[in-house]
Amino acid sequence: MNKRVFSGVRPTGRLHIGNYLGAGKNYVAMQNEYDCVYCIVDLHALTTLEDTGKLQNNIYEALLDLLAAGLDPQKSVIFVQSHVPEINELFALLSMVTPLSWLLRVPTFKEKVRLHPQNVNYGLVGYPVLMTSDILLYKADVVPVGEDQLPHLELAREIVRRFNEHFGETFPEPQAKLTNFPLVVGLDGKDKMSKSLGNHIELAATAEETTKKVMSAVTDPARKLRSDPGHPEVCNVFKLRKHFEPELITQLEADCREAKIGCVDCKRALADSINRDLAALRARRVELAAKPEYVHQVMVDGAKRAQIIARQTLDEVKSKMGLI
Ligand code: TRP
């Protein structure tokens, strides 16, 4: 039997190139080698989403992006987290074997408490247990994620070890799988690319929107004049160009250091290469958006297939924990 892959995408709306380069590309690549389960994690979104009126549309937009990027419902199970309610039961059961102290020291939790001290709900503390429940419900071996998720996966492994020790060997210890670009910095050159910071480029953006955003990107701050030598090692535009145009990069690095190329030209070239790279994905997205019934059916079928696996795992867990 093939190894099982599981990953979750938060439905924050349209996906951006940070989501894609940081994890999504691996989703597509892994479909041929693994038994893949991909989930749009709407319950996770509730831990921080203020405007739940947008959630249904956000789920739909994220699904369109994933399908356009090449997720194939013939190969992978693609579904929405809350459509398989067994997740809630496993979440409750795993919360009984997870020490609170483990959750309070998770860096993403500490960061959220620091940024939004007035919005620390019980669900937010349990976020990594819910994520672990996703992974374990499908007994995944491999979890493609971005670098920021590594502490959550470490915790998932700790929960697995604890569960297996108490109740007998049940779950494999899930391993993270990073892309070759596991942390994509936003166009501001400071923080991780994220929709909430507005420093992102949507996969579905038009070529014009992409160019406009890229032209606003921050480059090497020390380079004030066109004639100043550049420092590609601190420049996020350089990093992105390295990803999109690896064959040009040695020359570009030299040209930047010797001020033979200016930041404006460099950004224009980056915008062109992103637009070239995403052209096929964007065309597929337009086609899919014209078939909403099909997209909806993918969700319905995915949930049915996911639920078969989920029920089996849950029965086993309940029996091991003495509930049946
Ligand atoms: N926490 C992940 C993120 O913010 C999303 C997620 C939820 C996930 N459940 C998961 C990722 C299970 C991998 C596996 O990106």
Side-chain angles (χ1 to χ4, degrees):
M1 215 172 73
N2 282 343
K3 286 196 164 184
R4 166 88 34 85
V5 161
F6 183 97
S7 195
V9 176
R10 281 165 57 113
T12 50
R14 294 180 169 189
L15 303 185
H16 53 70
I17 65 169
N19 306 128
Y20 183 57
L21 305 180
K25 265 197 151 171
N26 267 348
Y27 294 6
V28 180
M30 293 173 103
Q31 292 184 112
N32 295 324
E33 251 180 87
Y34 295 88
D35 178 7
C36 295
V37 181
Y38 296 119
C39 181
I40 297 181
V41 292
D42 52 352
L43 296 168
H44 278 101
L46 289 183
T47 60
T48 50
L49 193 75
E50 283 123 49
D51 186 358
T52 52
K54 289 192 187 137
L55 192 49
Q56 285 306 311
N57 188 52
N58 285 354
I59 292 168
Y60 183 74
E61 294 281 343
L63 182 57
L64 272 184
D65 281 326
L66 292 172
L67 294 173
L71 286 200
D72 179 352
Q74 304 293 328
K75 293 181 185 161
S76 302
V77 175
I78 306 166
F79 74 108
V80 177
Q81 189 181 32
S82 71
H83 296 182
V84 180
E86 282 75 6
I87 186 66
N88 298 303
E89 213 169 334
L90 186 61
F91 180 34
L93 297 175
L94 291 184
S95 75
M96 308 301 176
V97 300
T98 309
L100 185 58
S101 60
W102 290 4
L103 299 175
L104 297 178
R105 65 165 204 239
V106 170
T108 46
F109 175 69
K110 290 203 277 191
E111 178 71 0
K112 292 232 165 79
V113 172
R114 196 175 65 76
L115 292 176
H116 313 284
Q118 73 299 345
N119 190 20
V120 180
N121 54 52
Y122 175 59
L124 187 66
V125 192
Y127 185 108
V129 186
L130 183 56
M131 176 162 161
T132 301
S133 308
D134 283 328
I135 299 167
L136 301 198
L137 197 50
Y138 302 94
K139 294 198 176 181
D141 305 283
V142 185
V143 182
V145 280
E147 197 169 78
D148 60 311
Q149 296 298 311
L150 294 181
H152 291 156
L153 269 181
E154 188 53 47
L155 192 91
R157 281 193 293 276
E158 284 179 297
I159 295 175
V160 165
R161 286 196 283 272
R162 206 176 155 96
F163 188 97
N164 287 348
E165 221 164 80
H166 271 264
F167 302 108
E169 200 59 29
T170 308
F171 300 111
E173 279 187 34
Q175 304 302 320
K177 166 94 176 147
L178 297 177
T179 64
N180 56 11
F181 203 169
L183 179 72
V184 182
V185 172
L187 298 175
D188 55 4
K190 284 202 304 255
D191 296 297
K192 182 186 128 174
M193 186 174 283
S194 97
K195 183 181 164 116
S196 59
L197 296 172
N199 62 3
H200 65 302
I201 301 168
E202 287 178 353
L203 289 178
T206 62
E208 295 72 37
E209 285 161 355
T210 303
T211 305
K212 196 163 160 224
K213 277 242 167 168
V214 172
M215 295 315 287
S216 75
V218 174
T219 54
D220 169 10
R223 201 171 175 201
K224 301 241 163 7
L225 300 174
R226 168 72 175 77
S227 52
D228 291 340
H231 305 87
E233 67 281 3
V234 302
C235 179
N236 190 36
V237 169
F238 180 79
K239 259 192 228 134
L240 287 164
R241 288 201 68 184
K242 189 164 166 187
H243 179 83
F244 285 99
E245 299 157 293
E247 66 291 349
L248 301 182
I249 211 67
T250 317
Q251 186 63 46
L252 176 65
E253 179 164 8
D255 289 351
C256 175
R257 285 192 198 287
E258 291 165 30
K260 283 191 185 153
I261 178 171
C263 294
V264 173
D265 289 340
C266 190
K267 288 197 269 193
R268 194 160 289 129
L270 174 62
D272 289 346
S273 67
I274 293 176
N275 287 332
R276 261 196 313 277
D277 195 80
L278 294 181
L281 182 155
R282 288 169 172 171
R284 273 196 303 274
R285 198 184 197 281
V286 172
E287 281 171 29
L288 285 161
K291 298 189 288 186
E293 323 74 40
Y294 167 76
V295 177
H296 187 74
Q297 197 56 42
V298 167
M299 281 196 250
V300 173
D301 293 345
K304 277 195 199 134
R305 288 166 67 195
Q307 192 167 36
I308 294 170
I309 311 171
R311 284 211 174 123
Q312 253 181 13
T313 308
L314 193 60
D315 277 349
E316 182 185 353
V317 169
K318 286 170 81 170
S319 152
K320 287 192 166 157
M321 292 182 90
L323 294 172
I324 45 177

